[in-house]
Amino acid sequence: MPLETVTKIAELRERLRPVRQAGQSIGLVPTMGYLHRGHAALVDRARAENDVVVVSVFVNPLQFGPKEDFASYPRDLDADRKLLAEHGADIVFAPSVEEMYPRPITTHIEVEELSVRLEGERRPGHFRGVATVVGKLFNIALPDRAYFGEKDYQQLQVIRRMVADLSFPLEIVGVPTVRDVDGVALSSRNVYLSPVERAAAPVLSRSLAAAADAIGGGTVDPQDIEAVVRGVLADEPLAAPDLVAVAAADTLEPIDPKAPPPSIALMLAVRIGRTRLLDQRVVAVP
Ligand code: AMP
């Protein structure tokens, strides 16, 4: 089946109604476009598990702060369509901002606590914008399953909590981070990096690997783990850490070294030049 492009909410609903009535399953992959192999891994997983695969491409203004890169965020729907066709997606849903928000939105989904900690503290309103648009996309597509990358680990946890709290009738599937050969997590924002900055970017995954080794060796005190990460990051003069978080993987609560959780989430936001890169790793406590 060739890839279909749908830009209107009503049209997507009409297209998917008979799918559901026929008892076929729908997988949704929400994205902001400028797709790469990381997004493709989500699409492949959705393709393997569902009858119909819908990928949304929407740069959501609600989740960008006033000083963030909404206007300059990279966009290329033709290239996205090519990648999606190659990976067997059925429908790309690419609405305009006016279609999604015909008037200023006054109703939001706020996942308390989880949304304001860590990355949420640094980007006020970000996770509220994410939860609101994802909830809206769920109401539009009514998927059986929705796919999210572990790269945005706190986002994945926020969405899981939203779905549990509000009883959204679908399953959330987390997909491991896809990396370049040098360990750099693929991201649409990597295009912002100059060659020199790109050469510095592997320091993120290197610092996470060092912390994983330390945890494997029995270190569970979050301050010690953070020091390992910061020590590696400090070796790279272009890297300015914005967030180094060590938390219980399932709740993102702080860790008590006397009662460590079964696994630890390491979450990083590091500025390299003007680009803010994220990376993450979940490590089982031995
Ligand atoms: P974005 O377009 O950046 O909003 O990302 C859309 C979805 O793709 C999110 O669920 C991301 O976590 C996921 N994603 C982005 N980069 C990667 C990657 N390198 N590996 C796996 N998933 C990713």
Side-chain angles (χ1 to χ4, degrees):
M1 258 198 328
L3 178 73
E4 296 167 49
T5 304
V6 174
T7 58
K8 301 291 182 213
I9 294 169
E11 194 192 335
L12 185 66
R13 288 201 163 123
E14 222 168 282
R15 170 68 179 77
L16 292 176
R17 192 177 304 116
V19 172
R20 253 188 317 280
Q21 278 167 355
Q24 294 192 311
S25 61
I26 298 166
L28 174 69
V29 182
T31 82
M32 299 203 299
Y34 216 72
L35 304 178
H36 50 63
R37 284 186 295 116
H39 300 106
L42 275 60
V43 176
D44 291 344
R45 181 80 183 268
R47 180 70 288 166
E49 296 179 352
N50 300 276
D51 296 308
V52 172
V53 174
V54 181
V55 179
S56 59
V57 171
F58 179 60
V59 184
N60 172 37
L62 288 189
Q63 71 191 68
F64 287 79
K67 292 187 187 139
E68 293 180 4
D69 55 347
F70 173 70
S72 61
Y73 194 84
R75 294 159 168 91
D76 187 346
L77 188 58
D78 288 337
D80 291 347
R81 288 179 41 83
K82 189 163 172 285
L83 179 141
L84 292 175
E86 283 165 8
H87 287 267
D90 297 299
I91 300 168
V92 56
F93 177 54
S96 65
V97 171
E98 296 68 36
E99 177 69 7
M100 288 291 274
Y101 307 122
R103 46 189 182 169
I105 191 162
T106 54
T107 309
H108 295 89
I109 300 180
E110 180 92 48
V111 179
E112 292 171 2
E113 293 173 28
L114 205 46
S115 277
V116 293
R117 291 210 301 262
L118 307 173
E119 181 76 343
E121 200 182 329
R122 278 151 190 85
R123 302 182 69 187
H126 171 66
F127 288 119
R128 180 170 98 150
V130 170
T132 301
V133 79
V134 168
K136 188 169 165 98
L137 289 167
F138 288 173
N139 281 333
I140 293 168
L142 302 175
D144 297 278
R145 297 179 194 85
Y147 296 80
F148 293 87
E150 288 178 357
K151 182 176 82 86
D152 302 282
Y153 192 77
Q154 190 172 357
Q155 166 174 288
L156 173 61
Q157 299 304 322
V158 165
I159 299 298
R160 284 193 193 284
R161 186 63 191 259
M162 171 186 95
V163 163
D165 283 352
L166 297 182
S167 302
F168 276 96
L170 78 161
E171 181 193 343
I172 299 300
V173 180
V175 178
T177 301
V178 177
R179 299 173 180 282
D180 251 328
V181 279
D182 60 0
V184 174
L186 297 184
S187 164
S188 308
R189 288 189 171 103
N190 289 354
V191 296
Y192 296 149
L193 298 170
S194 71
V196 172
E197 291 167 350
R198 178 61 186 75
V203 74
L204 277 78
S205 58
R206 260 201 329 268
S207 72
L208 296 176
D213 285 347
I215 296 169
T219 305
V220 289
D221 188 313
Q223 288 183 353
D224 296 342
I225 298 168
E226 183 178 330
V228 171
V229 174
R230 288 191 185 274
V232 175
L233 292 174
D235 285 341
E236 175 47 70
L238 290 182
D242 189 28
L243 172 70
V244 178
V246 180
D250 49 353
T251 59
L252 298 189
E253 300 273 354
I255 290 170
D256 173 0
K258 288 187 213 77
S263 42
I264 293 177
L266 309 167
M267 285 160 286
L268 282 185
V270 176
R271 279 186 205 285
I272 296 190
R274 64 184 183 102
T275 309
R276 191 168 179 276
L277 297 180
L278 301 188
D279 204 348
Q280 142 290 331
R281 187 157 170 164
V282 174
V283 186
V285 174

